[in-house]
Amino acid sequence: LREGDLVRIEVVERNSLVTLAYDQAGIALSLRVRALEAGAVGDVVSVRNEQSRRVVPAVVTGPGRVAVQADATPSRVASVTP
């Protein structure tokens, strides 16, 4: 058996609606998004929020399910004036 003989099963289909989960620091959210790529468990795929049209990367976690993690870099930093 060679590595080339193994096939990863895609559990997220391109253009399908999937459930995106966000779970960080006691906050758990989920919403339906559109997968822009197909993927197997562990793959990173692009997904789009159909309302905001924002595209984000998400990890495939199971059939029809993806997850995102909080960005480690703050998107907005408050400035302090002395």
Side-chain angles (χ1 to χ4, degrees):
L1 187 63
R2 297 180 308 255
E3 186 176 342
D5 296 333
L6 302 176
V7 177
R8 293 181 54 139
I9 299 172
E10 292 180 344
V11 294
V12 165
E13 295 180 25
R14 183 179 181 271
N15 269 341
S16 64
L17 288 174
V18 297
T19 301
L20 178 140
Y22 171 87
D23 190 1
Q24 187 73 24
I27 298 173
L29 303 171
S30 67
L31 65 140
R32 300 290 281 172
V33 295
R34 184 160 310 274
L36 302 179
E37 305 169 87
V41 172
D43 288 348
V44 176
V45 297
S46 295
V47 297
R48 180 178 61 222
N49 179 321
E50 292 295 286
Q51 291 181 338
S52 70
R53 310 300 283 173
R54 183 172 180 201
V55 176
V56 297
V59 177
V60 177
T61 59
R65 299 190 60 81
V66 297
V68 294
Q69 295 182 352
D71 186 19
T73 306
S75 59
R76 180 178 288 166
V77 177
S79 60
V80 177
T81 307

Coordinates of all heavy atoms in Angstrom, one line a residue:
L1 N 0.9 -1.2 0.0 CA 0.0 0.0 0.0 C 0.9 1.2 0.0 O 1.8 1.4 0.8 CB -0.9 0.0 1.2 CG -2.0 1.0 1.3 CD1 -3.0 0.9 0.2 CD2 -2.7 1.0 2.7
R2 N 0.6 2.1 -0.9 CA 1.4 3.4 -1.0 C 0.5 4.5 -0.7 O -0.7 4.5 -0.8 CB 2.0 3.5 -2.5 CG 2.9 2.4 -2.9 CD 3.4 2.6 -4.3 NE 2.3 2.8 -5.2 CZ 1.8 1.9 -6.1 NH1 2.4 0.7 -6.1 NH2 0.8 2.2 -6.9
E3 N 1.2 5.7 -0.4 CA 0.4 6.9 0.0 C -0.5 7.3 -1.2 O -1.6 7.8 -1.0 CB 1.4 8.0 0.4 CG 0.6 9.2 0.9 CD 1.6 10.3 1.3 OE1 2.7 10.0 1.6 OE2 1.1 11.5 1.4
G4 N 0.0 7.1 -2.4 CA -0.7 7.5 -3.6 C -2.0 6.6 -3.8 O -2.9 7.0 -4.5
D5 N -2.1 5.5 -3.1 CA -3.2 4.6 -3.2 C -4.4 5.1 -2.3 O -5.5 4.6 -2.5 CB -2.9 3.2 -2.8 CG -1.9 2.5 -3.7 OD1 -1.8 3.0 -4.9 OD2 -1.1 1.7 -3.3
L6 N -4.1 5.9 -1.3 CA -5.1 6.4 -0.4 C -5.8 7.6 -0.9 O -5.2 8.5 -1.6 CB -4.4 6.8 0.9 CG -3.6 5.6 1.6 CD1 -3.0 6.2 2.9 CD2 -4.5 4.5 1.9
V7 N -7.1 7.7 -0.7 CA -7.9 8.8 -1.2 C -8.6 9.4 0.0 O -9.2 8.8 0.9 CB -9.0 8.2 -2.1 CG1 -9.9 9.4 -2.6 CG2 -8.4 7.6 -3.3
R8 N -8.5 10.8 0.1 CA -9.1 11.5 1.1 C -10.6 11.8 0.7 O -10.8 12.2 -0.4 CB -8.4 12.8 1.4 CG -7.0 12.6 2.0 CD -6.4 13.9 2.2 NE -7.3 14.7 3.0 CZ -6.9 15.5 4.0 NH1 -5.6 15.6 4.3 NH2 -7.7 16.2 4.7
I9 N -11.5 11.5 1.6 CA -12.9 11.6 1.2 C -13.3 13.0 1.5 O -13.2 13.5 2.6 CB -13.8 10.6 2.0 CG1 -13.4 9.2 1.7 CG2 -15.3 10.9 1.8 CD1 -14.0 8.2 2.6
E10 N -13.8 13.7 0.5 CA -14.3 15.1 0.6 C -15.7 15.0 1.3 O -16.6 14.4 0.8 CB -14.4 15.8 -0.7 CG -13.0 16.0 -1.3 CD -13.0 16.7 -2.7 OE1 -14.1 16.8 -3.3 OE2 -12.0 17.2 -3.0
V11 N -15.8 15.7 2.4 CA -17.0 15.8 3.2 C -17.7 17.1 3.1 O -18.8 17.3 3.6 CB -16.8 15.4 4.7 CG1 -16.4 13.9 4.8 CG2 -15.8 16.3 5.3
V12 N -17.1 18.1 2.4 CA -17.7 19.4 2.1 C -17.6 19.5 0.6 O -16.5 19.4 0.0 CB -16.9 20.5 2.8 CG1 -17.3 21.9 2.2 CG2 -17.2 20.5 4.3
E13 N -18.7 19.8 0.0 CA -18.7 19.9 -1.5 C -18.7 21.4 -1.9 O -19.2 22.3 -1.2 CB -20.0 19.3 -2.1 CG -20.1 17.8 -1.9 CD -21.4 17.3 -2.5 OE1 -22.0 17.9 -3.4 OE2 -21.8 16.2 -2.0
R14 N -18.0 21.7 -3.0 CA -18.0 23.1 -3.5 C -19.4 23.6 -3.7 O -20.2 22.9 -4.2 CB -17.1 23.1 -4.8 CG -16.9 24.5 -5.3 CD -16.1 24.4 -6.6 NE -15.9 25.7 -7.2 CZ -16.7 26.3 -8.0 NH1 -17.7 25.7 -8.5 NH2 -16.4 27.5 -8.5
N15 N -19.6 24.8 -3.4 CA -20.9 25.5 -3.6 C -22.0 25.1 -2.6 O -23.1 25.5 -2.8 CB -21.4 25.5 -5.0 CG -20.9 26.7 -5.8 OD1 -20.5 27.7 -5.2 ND2 -20.9 26.5 -7.1
S16 N -21.7 24.2 -1.7 CA -22.8 23.7 -0.8 C -22.8 24.6 0.4 O -21.9 25.3 0.8 CB -22.5 22.3 -0.3 OG -21.3 22.2 0.4
L17 N -24.0 24.7 1.0 CA -24.2 25.4 2.3 C -23.7 24.5 3.4 O -24.1 23.3 3.5 CB -25.6 25.8 2.5 CG -26.2 26.9 1.6 CD1 -27.7 27.1 1.8 CD2 -25.4 28.2 1.9
V18 N -22.8 25.1 4.3 CA -22.3 24.3 5.4 C -22.5 25.1 6.7 O -22.7 26.3 6.6 CB -20.8 24.0 5.2 CG1 -20.6 23.1 3.9 CG2 -19.9 25.2 5.0
T19 N -22.3 24.4 7.8 CA -22.4 25.1 9.1 C -21.0 25.5 9.5 O -20.1 24.6 9.7 CB -23.1 24.2 10.1 OG1 -24.4 23.9 9.7 CG2 -23.2 24.9 11.5
L20 N -20.8 26.8 9.8 CA -19.6 27.3 10.3 C -19.7 27.5 11.8 O -20.7 28.1 12.3 CB -19.2 28.7 9.6 CG -18.0 29.3 10.1 CD1 -17.2 29.9 8.9 CD2 -18.2 30.4 11.2
A21 N -18.7 27.0 12.5 CA -18.7 27.1 14.0 C -17.5 28.0 14.4 O -16.4 27.9 13.9 CB -18.6 25.7 14.6
Y22 N -17.8 28.8 15.4 CA -16.8 29.6 16.0 C -17.0 29.4 17.5 O -18.0 29.6 18.1 CB -17.0 31.1 15.7 CG -16.2 32.1 16.5 CD1 -14.9 32.4 16.0 CD2 -16.6 32.6 17.7 CE1 -14.1 33.3 16.7 CE2 -15.9 33.5 18.4 CZ -14.6 33.8 17.9 OH -13.8 34.7 18.6
D23 N -15.9 29.0 18.2 CA -15.9 28.7 19.6 C -14.6 29.2 20.2 O -13.6 28.7 20.0 CB -16.1 27.2 19.9 CG -16.4 26.9 21.3 OD1 -16.5 27.8 22.1 OD2 -16.5 25.7 21.6
Q24 N -14.7 30.4 21.0 CA -13.5 31.0 21.5 C -13.9 31.7 22.8 O -14.8 32.5 22.9 CB -12.9 32.0 20.5 CG -11.6 32.6 20.9 CD -10.5 31.6 20.8 OE1 -10.6 30.6 20.1 NE2 -9.4 31.8 21.5
A25 N -13.2 31.4 23.9 CA -13.3 32.2 25.2 C -14.7 32.2 25.7 O -15.2 33.3 26.0 CB -12.7 33.6 25.0
G26 N -15.4 31.1 25.6 CA -16.8 31.1 26.2 C -17.8 31.6 25.2 O -19.0 31.6 25.6
I27 N -17.5 31.9 24.0 CA -18.5 32.4 23.0 C -18.6 31.3 21.9 O -17.6 30.9 21.3 CB -18.1 33.7 22.4 CG1 -18.0 34.8 23.4 CG2 -19.0 34.1 21.2 CD1 -17.4 36.1 22.9
A28 N -19.8 30.8 21.7 CA -20.0 29.8 20.7 C -21.0 30.3 19.7 O -22.1 30.7 20.1 CB -20.4 28.5 21.3
L29 N -20.7 30.4 18.4 CA -21.6 30.9 17.4 C -21.6 29.9 16.3 O -20.6 29.2 16.0 CB -21.1 32.2 16.8 CG -21.0 33.4 17.8 CD1 -20.3 34.6 17.2 CD2 -22.3 33.8 18.4
S30 N -22.7 29.8 15.5 CA -22.7 29.0 14.3 C -23.6 29.7 13.3 O -24.5 30.4 13.7 CB -23.2 27.6 14.6 OG -24.5 27.6 14.9
L31 N -23.3 29.6 12.0 CA -24.1 30.2 11.0 C -23.9 29.4 9.7 O -22.9 28.6 9.6 CB -23.7 31.6 10.7 CG -22.4 32.0 10.2 CD1 -22.5 33.1 9.2 CD2 -21.5 32.4 11.4
R32 N -24.7 29.5 8.7 CA -24.7 28.9 7.5 C -23.8 29.7 6.5 O -24.1 31.0 6.4 CB -26.0 28.6 6.9 CG -26.9 27.8 7.8 CD -26.5 26.3 7.8 NE -26.9 25.6 6.6 CZ -26.6 24.4 6.3 NH1 -25.8 23.7 7.1 NH2 -27.0 23.9 5.2
V33 N -22.9 29.1 5.8 CA -22.0 29.8 4.9 C -21.9 28.9 3.6 O -22.3 27.7 3.7 CB -20.6 30.1 5.5 CG1 -20.7 31.1 6.6 CG2 -19.9 28.8 5.9
R34 N -21.4 29.5 2.6 CA -21.3 28.7 1.3 C -19.8 28.3 1.2 O -18.9 29.2 1.2 CB -21.7 29.5 0.1 CG -21.6 28.7 -1.2 CD -22.5 29.3 -2.3 NE -23.8 29.6 -1.9 CZ -24.8 28.7 -2.0 NH1 -24.6 27.5 -2.3 NH2 -26.1 29.1 -1.7
A35 N -19.6 27.0 0.9 CA -18.2 26.6 0.7 C -17.8 26.9 -0.7 O -18.5 26.6 -1.7 CB -18.1 25.0 0.9
L36 N -16.7 27.6 -0.9 CA -16.2 27.9 -2.2 C -15.3 26.9 -2.8 O -14.9 26.9 -4.0 CB -15.5 29.3 -2.2 CG -16.4 30.4 -1.7 CD1 -15.6 31.7 -1.6 CD2 -17.7 30.6 -2.5
E37 N -14.9 25.9 -2.0 CA -14.0 24.8 -2.4 C -14.5 23.5 -1.7 O -15.2 23.6 -0.7 CB -12.6 25.1 -1.9 CG -12.0 26.4 -2.3 CD -10.7 26.7 -1.6 OE1 -9.7 26.2 -2.1 OE2 -10.7 27.3 -0.6
A38 N -14.2 22.4 -2.3 CA -14.4 21.1 -1.7 C -13.3 20.8 -0.7 O -12.2 21.2 -0.9 CB -14.6 20.0 -2.7
G39 N -13.6 19.9 0.3 CA -12.5 19.6 1.2 C -12.8 18.4 2.0 O -13.9 18.0 2.3
A40 N -11.7 17.7 2.5 CA -11.8 16.6 3.4 C -11.5 17.1 4.8 O -11.1 18.2 5.0 CB -10.7 15.5 3.0
V41 N -11.8 16.3 5.8 CA -11.6 16.7 7.2 C -10.1 17.1 7.4 O -9.2 16.4 6.9 CB -11.9 15.5 8.2 CG1 -11.5 15.9 9.6 CG2 -13.4 15.2 8.1
G42 N -9.9 18.3 8.0 CA -8.6 18.8 8.2 C -8.1 19.8 7.1 O -7.2 20.6 7.3
D43 N -8.8 19.8 6.0 CA -8.4 20.8 4.9 C -8.9 22.2 5.3 O -9.9 22.3 6.0 CB -9.1 20.4 3.6 CG -8.5 19.2 2.9 OD1 -7.4 18.7 3.3 OD2 -9.1 18.7 2.0
V44 N -8.2 23.2 4.8 CA -8.6 24.6 4.9 C -9.3 25.0 3.6 O -8.7 24.8 2.5 CB -7.5 25.5 5.2 CG1 -7.9 26.9 5.3 CG2 -6.8 25.1 6.6
V45 N -10.5 25.4 3.7 CA -11.3 25.8 2.5 C -11.8 27.3 2.7 O -12.0 27.7 3.8 CB -12.5 24.9 2.2 CG1 -12.0 23.5 1.9 CG2 -13.5 24.9 3.4
S46 N -12.0 27.9 1.6 CA -12.6 29.3 1.7 C -14.1 29.1 1.7 O -14.7 28.3 1.0 CB -12.3 30.1 0.4 OG -10.9 30.3 0.4
V47 N -14.7 29.9 2.6 CA -16.2 29.9 2.8 C -16.7 31.4 2.7 O -15.9 32.3 3.1 CB -16.7 29.3 4.1 CG1 -16.3 27.8 4.1 CG2 -16.1 30.0 5.3
R48 N -17.9 31.6 2.3 CA -18.4 33.0 2.1 C -19.7 33.1 2.9 O -20.7 32.3 2.8 CB -18.7 33.3 0.7 CG -19.2 34.7 0.5 CD -19.4 35.0 -1.0 NE -20.4 34.1 -1.6 CZ -20.3 33.6 -2.8 NH1 -19.2 33.8 -3.5 NH2 -21.2 32.8 -3.3
N49 N -19.8 34.2 3.7 CA -21.0 34.6 4.4 C -21.9 35.2 3.3 O -21.5 36.2 2.7 CB -20.7 35.6 5.5 CG -22.0 36.1 6.2 OD1 -23.0 36.3 5.6 ND2 -21.8 36.2 7.5
E50 N -23.1 34.6 3.1 CA -23.9 35.1 2.0 C -24.5 36.4 2.2 O -24.9 37.1 1.2 CB -25.0 34.0 1.7 CG -24.5 32.7 1.1 CD -23.9 32.9 -0.2 OE1 -24.6 33.0 -1.2 OE2 -22.6 32.8 -0.3
Q51 N -24.6 36.9 3.5 CA -25.2 38.2 3.7 C -24.2 39.3 3.6 O -24.4 40.3 2.9 CB -25.8 38.2 5.1 CG -27.1 37.4 5.2 CD -27.7 37.5 6.6 OE1 -27.0 37.8 7.6 NE2 -29.0 37.2 6.7
S52 N -23.0 39.1 4.2 CA -22.0 40.1 4.1 C -21.1 40.0 2.9 O -20.3 40.9 2.6 CB -21.1 40.1 5.4 OG -20.3 38.9 5.4
R53 N -21.1 38.8 2.3 CA -20.2 38.5 1.1 C -18.8 38.3 1.5 O -17.9 38.2 0.7 CB -20.4 39.5 0.0 CG -21.8 39.8 -0.4 CD -22.6 38.6 -0.9 NE -22.2 38.3 -2.3 CZ -22.6 37.2 -2.9 NH1 -23.4 36.4 -2.3 NH2 -22.2 36.9 -4.1
R54 N -18.5 38.3 2.8 CA -17.1 38.2 3.3 C -16.6 36.7 3.2 O -17.3 35.8 3.5 CB -17.0 38.6 4.8 CG -15.6 38.6 5.3 CD -15.5 39.2 6.7 NE -14.1 39.1 7.1 CZ -13.8 39.2 8.4 NH1 -14.7 39.4 9.3 NH2 -12.5 39.1 8.7
V55 N -15.4 36.6 2.7 CA -14.8 35.3 2.5 C -13.7 35.1 3.5 O -12.9 36.0 3.8 CB -14.2 35.1 1.1 CG1 -13.5 33.8 0.9 CG2 -15.3 35.3 0.0
V56 N -13.8 33.9 4.2 CA -12.8 33.6 5.2 C -12.3 32.2 5.1 O -13.1 31.3 4.5 CB -13.4 33.8 6.7 CG1 -13.7 35.2 6.9 CG2 -14.5 32.9 6.9
P57 N -11.1 31.8 5.5 CA -10.7 30.4 5.5 C -11.3 29.7 6.7 O -11.4 30.3 7.8 CB -9.1 30.6 5.7 CG -8.9 31.9 6.4 CD -10.1 32.8 6.0
A58 N -11.6 28.4 6.5 CA -12.1 27.6 7.6 C -11.6 26.2 7.5 O -11.3 25.7 6.4 CB -13.7 27.7 7.6
V59 N -11.5 25.5 8.6 CA -11.1 24.1 8.6 C -12.3 23.2 8.5 O -13.2 23.4 9.3 CB -10.2 23.8 9.9 CG1 -9.8 22.4 9.9 CG2 -9.0 24.8 10.0
V60 N -12.2 22.2 7.7 CA -13.3 21.2 7.6 C -13.2 20.3 8.8 O -12.1 19.7 9.1 CB -13.2 20.4 6.3 CG1 -14.2 19.3 6.2 CG2 -13.2 21.3 5.0
T61 N -14.3 20.2 9.5 CA -14.3 19.4 10.7 C -15.2 18.1 10.6 O -15.1 17.3 11.5 CB -14.8 20.2 11.9 OG1 -16.1 20.7 11.6 CG2 -13.9 21.4 12.2
G62 N -16.0 18.1 9.6 CA -16.9 16.9 9.4 C -17.8 17.1 8.2 O -17.7 18.2 7.6
P63 N -18.7 16.2 8.0 CA -19.6 16.4 6.9 C -20.5 17.6 7.0 O -21.2 17.8 8.0 CB -20.5 15.1 6.9 CG -19.7 14.1 7.7 CD -18.9 14.9 8.7
G64 N -20.3 18.6 6.0 CA -21.1 19.8 6.1 C -20.8 20.7 7.2 O -21.5 21.6 7.5
R65 N -19.6 20.6 7.8 CA -19.2 21.4 8.9 C -17.8 22.0 8.8 O -16.9 21.2 8.4 CB -19.3 20.7 10.3 CG -20.7 20.2 10.5 CD -20.9 19.6 11.9 NE -20.6 20.6 13.0 CZ -21.4 21.5 13.4 NH1 -22.6 21.6 12.9 NH2 -21.1 22.3 14.4
V66 N -17.6 23.3 9.1 CA -16.3 23.9 9.1 C -16.2 24.7 10.4 O -17.2 25.0 11.1 CB -16.1 24.8 7.9 CG1 -16.1 24.0 6.6 CG2 -17.1 25.9 7.8
A67 N -15.0 25.1 10.7 CA -14.7 25.9 11.9 C -13.7 27.0 11.7 O -12.8 26.8 10.8 CB -14.3 25.0 13.1
V68 N -13.8 28.1 12.4 CA -12.8 29.2 12.3 C -12.4 29.5 13.7 O -13.1 29.2 14.7 CB -13.4 30.5 11.7 CG1 -13.7 30.3 10.2 CG2 -14.6 31.0 12.4
Q69 N -11.2 30.0 13.8 CA -10.7 30.4 15.1 C -10.5 31.9 15.1 O -10.3 32.5 14.1 CB -9.3 29.7 15.4 CG -9.5 28.2 15.6 CD -8.1 27.6 15.9 OE1 -7.1 28.2 15.9 NE2 -8.2 26.3 16.2
A70 N -10.4 32.5 16.3 CA -10.2 34.0 16.4 C -8.9 34.3 15.9 O -7.9 33.6 16.0 CB -10.3 34.4 17.9
D71 N -8.8 35.4 15.2 CA -7.6 36.0 14.6 C -6.7 36.4 15.8 O -7.2 37.2 16.6 CB -7.9 37.1 13.7 CG -6.7 37.6 12.9 OD1 -5.7 36.9 12.9 OD2 -6.7 38.7 12.4
A72 N -5.5 36.0 15.8 CA -4.6 36.4 16.8 C -4.1 37.8 16.7 O -3.7 38.4 17.7 CB -3.3 35.5 16.8
T73 N -4.3 38.4 15.6 CA -3.9 39.8 15.4 C -5.2 40.7 15.5 O -6.2 40.5 14.8 CB -3.3 40.0 14.0 OG1 -2.3 39.1 13.8 CG2 -2.8 41.4 13.8
P74 N -5.2 41.7 16.4 CA -6.4 42.5 16.5 C -6.6 43.3 15.2 O -5.7 43.8 14.6 CB -6.1 43.5 17.7 CG -4.7 43.2 18.0 CD -4.2 42.0 17.3
S75 N -7.9 43.4 14.8 CA -8.2 44.2 13.6 C -8.2 45.7 13.9 O -8.1 46.5 13.0 CB -9.5 43.7 13.0 OG -10.5 43.9 14.0
R76 N -8.4 46.1 15.1 CA -8.5 47.5 15.4 C -7.8 47.7 16.8 O -8.1 47.0 17.7 CB -9.9 47.9 15.6 CG -10.1 49.4 15.9 CD -11.5 49.8 16.0 NE -12.0 49.8 14.6 CZ -13.3 49.8 14.3 NH1 -14.2 49.9 15.2 NH2 -13.7 49.9 13.0
V77 N -6.8 48.6 16.8 CA -6.1 48.9 18.0 C -6.5 50.3 18.4 O -6.4 51.3 17.6 CB -4.6 48.8 17.8 CG1 -3.8 49.1 19.0 CG2 -4.2 47.4 17.3
A78 N -6.9 50.5 19.7 CA -7.2 51.8 20.2 C -5.9 52.6 20.4 O -4.9 52.0 20.9 CB -8.0 51.7 21.5
S79 N -5.9 53.8 20.1 CA -4.8 54.7 20.4 C -5.0 55.5 21.7 O -6.1 55.9 21.9 CB -4.5 55.6 19.2 OG -5.6 56.5 19.0
V80 N -4.0 55.6 22.4 CA -4.1 56.3 23.7 C -3.3 57.6 23.5 O -2.1 57.6 23.1 CB -3.5 55.5 24.8 CG1 -3.5 56.3 26.1 CG2 -4.2 54.2 24.9
T81 N -3.9 58.7 23.8 CA -3.3 60.0 23.7 C -2.9 60.5 25.1 O -3.8 60.5 26.0 CB -4.2 61.1 23.1 OG1 -4.7 60.6 21.9 CG2 -3.5 62.4 22.8
P82 N -1.6 60.8 25.4 CA -1.2 61.2 26.7 C -1.8 62.5 27.1 O -2.2 63.4 26.4 CB 0.3 61.3 26.7 CG 0.7 61.1 25.3 CD -0.5 60.7 24.5

